[in-house]
Amino acid sequence: MSMHIPAADERRQNFINGKWVDPTTGAWDPCINPADTNEVIGHFPRSGKADATAAIDAATAAFPGWANTPAPERGRIIGRAHAILKGKVDLLGEALCREEGKTFNEGKGEIMKGLNLLEFYAGEGFRIHGKTLPSESRANLCFTLRRPVGPVALITPWNFPFAIPVWKTAPALISGCTAVIKPASLTPICTMLLVQAFEEAGLPPGVLNFVTGPGGAVGDTIVDDPRIKAISFTGSNSIGIRLYQRAAARGAKVTAEMGGKNPVVVLDDADLDLAVEGIIQGAYGSTGQRCTATSRVVVTPGIRAKLTEALVERVKKLVVGNGMKAGVNMGPAVDKSQLQTDLDAIAQAKKDGARLLVGGERLSGPEHERGFFCAPTIFDNVEQSHLLAKDEVFGPVLAIQAAKDPAHALELANDVPFGLAASIYTSNYFDAIKFVEHAEVGMLHVNQPTVGGEAQLPFGGIKGTGVGEKEMAEEGANFFTHLKTVWLDYTGAKRTSSIY
Ligand code: NAP
């Protein structure tokens, strides 16, 4: 089938063992545009246990053939998928905008990031390597080699519906694993288009299987099946930790990348304009629905008033609406439930005694009434005891926290259960480097927003954010392999020399 954005009445299918098939449940769910709930973008299978099991059967049967395919050849297939998708950036950007709500430009930015990842992992086919190391014994050649772990499961969230499926699929495939991918039920379209590109690129049947449907039925089946040797999950802490416990009970490998509460520290000597732009981008880009979104500003006294005033002025200028419209800077919450989470966090912040500076409501009127739009919001005077200082909102709600000095700012920045990303704005190398060394996060920026990731750089968090390996980069592929250590005693081989 051609790669296209589904029409309202179109029923799409699962992809199992190289074939597009209807779900055994006979049930489909509509995909709805969160900026305009009148717009249905096709229907996707509400699959059940039998569909997930069929996908695992296919991945299991295909594993030996794929694992023994030379890695450069695997890489060439990923390279062909990259070439196919590179010609479809506008189509993919529109699909992303309409299924998730990002602006068209943000959508295209995400597609470009996914393409970089495909390009990177296509090349990794030439670089899957171990090490040679000396042995304590004479006449021993010692080395490590990487082998694929087996069939794997990839479970993805709705907030990066293209880039995250790519950054799990490409490293799994290049490592020689076969996979079952289950996208978030809210956003199946971009993953489906990615799977179509792999099909067109010549991926053998069963190597990549795509099943849509509820986390409970499909997710639990995949997580509990002993044939699935590793699970790469990105999503919420509640689901991620539960999944980690279930998988650990049967000894499967898990990477779980979860929530964040990412601070930007602004010190008195910061470049004010740079800090304002970075905070606006980090807090309101993608409607604040990024794991790396800026959700706290921790600011020292000498710059606090100027920074706060400038942030409020910039927020008032943000244009919120349907991301397909020119001039729109920020789209909607992904669904009714996420919008309600945003509004509940706002109500709680008021109750806790924080001061609302701007926003703080659901947007109404003709531009907004059919979508899930929350106004970009700033609270000042947020105390460490308030929920807004510690709980992830995952929406456009920013908390400003006062710090006495740089040391206090570091203390506040670290006083959360999460550890994904942080940033510091300062012109002082001493404070910047101290923060780089002591901030409890997996990714750190200096004079830059908290957001971003690059194909060749490891991505992921520490503390309550992440367990397992970092994603992307070489580390992302390592997760899908076993490292085997080999001692090769060549005195046992036929001797051709008497040196030893
Ligand atoms: P979620 O509700 O946890 O869902 C994530 C995925 O898990 C979805 O595909 C979901 O399926 C599936 N799932 C649900 N129940 C399951 C079960 N019992 N077993 C297996 N899978 C199950 O998360 P989300 O709301 O989509 O995503 C937002 C969260 O992701 C935020 O907390 C954000 O911080 C985090 N995130 C983290 C990173 C990172 O790198 N640290 C990156 C992006 C997002 P259904 O859609 O069918 O429920």
Side-chain angles (χ1 to χ4, degrees):
M1 185 178 300
S2 72
M3 284 175 69
H4 64 271
I5 299 171
D9 59 353
E10 208 173 319
R11 280 186 168 177
R12 300 309 300 257
Q13 295 170 303
N14 291 322
F15 187 67
I16 298 175
N17 204 21
K19 291 197 173 64
W20 292 94
V21 290
D22 285 348
T24 55
T25 55
W28 277 260
D29 286 315
C31 179
I32 309 244
N33 182 343
D36 180 351
T37 50
N38 282 354
E39 188 186 319
V40 176
I41 327 159
H43 291 72
F44 285 80
R46 194 191 315 146
S47 312
K49 199 172 168 35
D51 305 295
T53 304
I56 299 167
D57 293 345
T60 305
F63 177 68
W66 185 244
N68 291 318
T69 301
E73 206 174 311
R74 298 196 293 253
R76 274 179 211 111
I77 296 178
I78 296 176
R80 283 202 290 278
H82 170 259
I84 292 163
L85 292 166
K86 202 172 168 190
K88 300 198 183 308
V89 173
D90 281 356
L91 171 94
L92 290 159
E94 182 184 334
L96 206 161
C97 172
R98 287 170 59 196
E99 71 171 336
E100 198 267 354
K102 273 181 197 166
T103 66
F104 183 47
N105 281 338
E106 287 173 339
K108 284 200 291 187
E110 182 180 334
I111 303 305
M112 295 312 294
K113 181 172 174 173
L115 290 174
N116 287 349
L117 283 149
L118 285 170
E119 198 173 11
F120 174 80
Y121 281 114
E124 282 296 280
F126 292 106
R127 291 187 289 267
I128 296 175
H129 57 81
K131 292 177 185 167
T132 56
L133 295 154
S135 171
E136 293 279 6
S137 309
R138 286 171 188 271
N140 256 261
L141 177 62
C142 290
F143 58 94
T144 60
L145 69 97
R146 293 197 172 273
R147 294 294 297 157
V149 290
V152 298
L154 315 173
I155 300 179
T156 58
W158 48 262
N159 71 321
F160 277 92
F162 184 72
I164 294 181
V166 171
W167 89 49
K168 293 187 187 301
T169 305
L173 297 183
I174 200 64
S175 302
C177 293
T178 53
V180 177
I181 185 162
K182 191 209 99 57
S185 295
L186 290 172
T187 55
I189 300 175
C190 284
T191 311
M192 176 194 73
L193 295 171
L194 174 69
V195 171
Q196 279 191 280
F198 275 118
E199 180 190 18
E200 200 180 321
L203 199 67
V207 172
L208 178 62
N209 305 277
F210 162 79
V211 182
T212 60
V218 177
D220 283 350
T221 306
I222 300 173
V223 171
D224 292 343
D225 194 305
R227 293 172 296 172
I228 294 293
K229 302 299 179 200
I231 301 156
S232 179
F233 168 89
T234 300
S236 61
N237 282 70
S238 54
I239 306 276
I241 293 299
R242 178 181 172 274
L243 177 151
Y244 185 39
Q245 287 167 340
R246 286 177 87 110
R250 64 174 183 83
K253 260 182 125 173
V254 172
T255 272
E257 282 295 339
M258 300 168 285
K261 190 73 198 175
N262 312 300
V264 166
V265 167
V266 184
L267 301 184
D268 287 355
D269 58 8
D271 176 326
L272 181 69
D273 294 341
L274 194 67
V276 169
E277 274 320 302
I279 292 166
I280 295 291
Q281 247 190 60
Y284 305 106
S286 306
T287 321
Q289 299 177 141
R290 281 168 148 163
C291 52
T292 53
T294 302
S295 56
R296 296 180 291 149
V297 172
V298 181
V299 56
T300 48
I303 197 169
R304 183 174 163 201
K306 278 183 286 181
L307 179 76
T308 305
E309 191 186 336
L311 285 173
V312 171
E313 285 316 305
R314 274 292 274 112
V315 164
K316 285 180 180 163
K317 292 193 184 116
L318 291 175
V319 180
V320 182
N322 186 326
M324 284 308 291
K325 289 196 178 153
V328 165
N329 309 118
M330 193 184 101
V334 73
D335 69 351
K336 195 173 174 184
S337 151
Q338 181 57 53
L339 174 65
Q340 195 54 50
T341 303
D342 299 349
L343 298 174
D344 289 348
I346 289 167
Q348 182 66 44
K350 287 181 187 166
K351 208 165 131 198
D352 285 341
R355 186 160 64 111
L356 178 65
L357 299 181
V358 63
E361 64 197 346
R362 180 176 185 169
L363 294 174
S364 53
E367 285 288 313
H368 300 118
E369 65 198 5
R370 292 199 311 275
F372 304 115
F373 294 100
C374 177
T377 298
I378 301 182
F379 279 99
D380 194 10
N381 295 347
V382 176
E383 303 287 334
Q384 206 52 16
S385 57
H386 298 175
L387 284 181
L388 196 58
K390 294 197 177 178
D391 277 8
E392 182 183 51
V393 179
F394 221 52
V397 183
L398 182 66
I400 298 182
Q401 298 185 266
K404 293 194 281 276
D405 52 36
H408 186 217
L410 174 64
E411 197 183 303
L412 291 176
N414 284 342
D415 187 18
V416 288
F418 302 106
L420 185 54
S423 169
I424 185 165
Y425 284 83
T426 178
S427 50
N428 176 330
Y429 266 91
F430 174 80
D431 287 322
I433 291 170
K434 207 161 171 207
F435 191 73
V436 166
E437 277 194 341
H438 298 289
E440 295 167 357
V441 288
M443 294 179 291
L444 201 132
H445 301 262
V446 177
N447 293 322
Q448 276 183 354
T450 49
V451 294
E454 297 184 37
Q456 73 285 6
L457 300 175
F459 182 97
I462 60 172
K463 291 166 70 175
T465 294
V467 293
E469 290 258 10
K470 285 255 202 275
E471 299 202 82
M472 303 197 204
E474 184 184 342
E475 286 78 357
N478 287 348
F479 171 71
F480 294 104
T481 62
H482 290 305
L483 193 62
K484 196 177 282 185
T485 307
V486 182
W487 283 260
L488 201 158
D489 180 340
Y490 51 90
T491 55
K494 192 173 176 208
R495 287 183 192 225
T496 53
S497 151
S498 58
I499 297 173
Y500 302 99

